[in-house]
Amino acid sequence: MQKARKAQESLTVMTEMVFPNDTNTLGNLMGGNLMRLLDIAGAIAAQKHCNRIVVTASVDNVSFKEAIPLGSVITLQAKVTRAFNSSLEVGIDVWAENIPAGTKIYTNKAFMTFVAVDQVGRPIEVPPVEPETAEEKELYAGALRRRQLRLVLAGRMKPEEAKELKEIFKIDA
C-alpha cells in the first residue's frame, strides 16, 4: 500500500478567458468547451496526486448553474476527493469573473474519474487520499456513494451490493 497523500496536495487552479471562438450563438461559453477545460484541470489534479499518467474514465456530473458570457475570466479549481485501487475521483469547481464590473459568480460543479496507468496503458495502484478539512471529509465520504452509482449504472455492480448508496435512500437490503 502506498503512503496516503493529503487532498490539498492535488489542488490545481487553472484560469482561462472566454473568447468569441469559445461561445455559442448566444455569446456564452459552449458546454463542450467547458468540459474540455474540466478534463484538463481534473487530469492535472489526478496526476499531481499519483505522479503517474492518467486517463479519463468517466464524467459523473456536470452542473451548469449559470451561463458564462463572452469576455469572462473563468477559474477552475480541481482536487482529488478520493482514490480507490487505480482510479481517482476529482471534484472541479468553476467561477466566472467579469473583471471590469468587479463581479464573480460560481457557475459549475463537476465530478470526474481518472485511472492511473503505466507506460503501456495498464491500470496501476494509486496512493490513498487523506482528507483533512470538514469539506474534504464530506467529499471523501460522498465519493464512495458516487463510485457505487457509477458502477451500478455501468452494469459493473448490482444495485443490491451498493450498500452506502442504498443508505441515502433508506432502502432495506
Side-chain angles (χ1 to χ4, degrees), residues 59-128:
V59 179
D60 294 355
N61 184 356
V62 180
S63 299
F64 295 92
K65 298 176 186 317
E66 299 282 341
I68 302 174
L70 172 66
S72 296
V73 173
I74 58 173
T75 302
L76 297 92
Q77 183 172 308
K79 188 177 359 178
V80 174
T81 58
R82 190 161 183 165
F84 297 96
N85 297 321
S86 60
S87 66
L88 308 99
E89 182 190 78
V90 178
I92 309 160
D93 294 301
V94 183
W95 291 267
E97 187 173 6
N98 179 330
I99 293 174
T103 59
K104 187 175 186 177
I105 58 170
Y106 182 70
T107 62
N108 301 83
K109 174 91 176 160
F111 287 102
M112 300 181 73
T113 303
F114 296 87
V115 174
V117 296
D118 63 17
Q119 282 67 23
V120 294
R122 289 185 304 240
I124 55 172
E125 184 183 2
V126 296

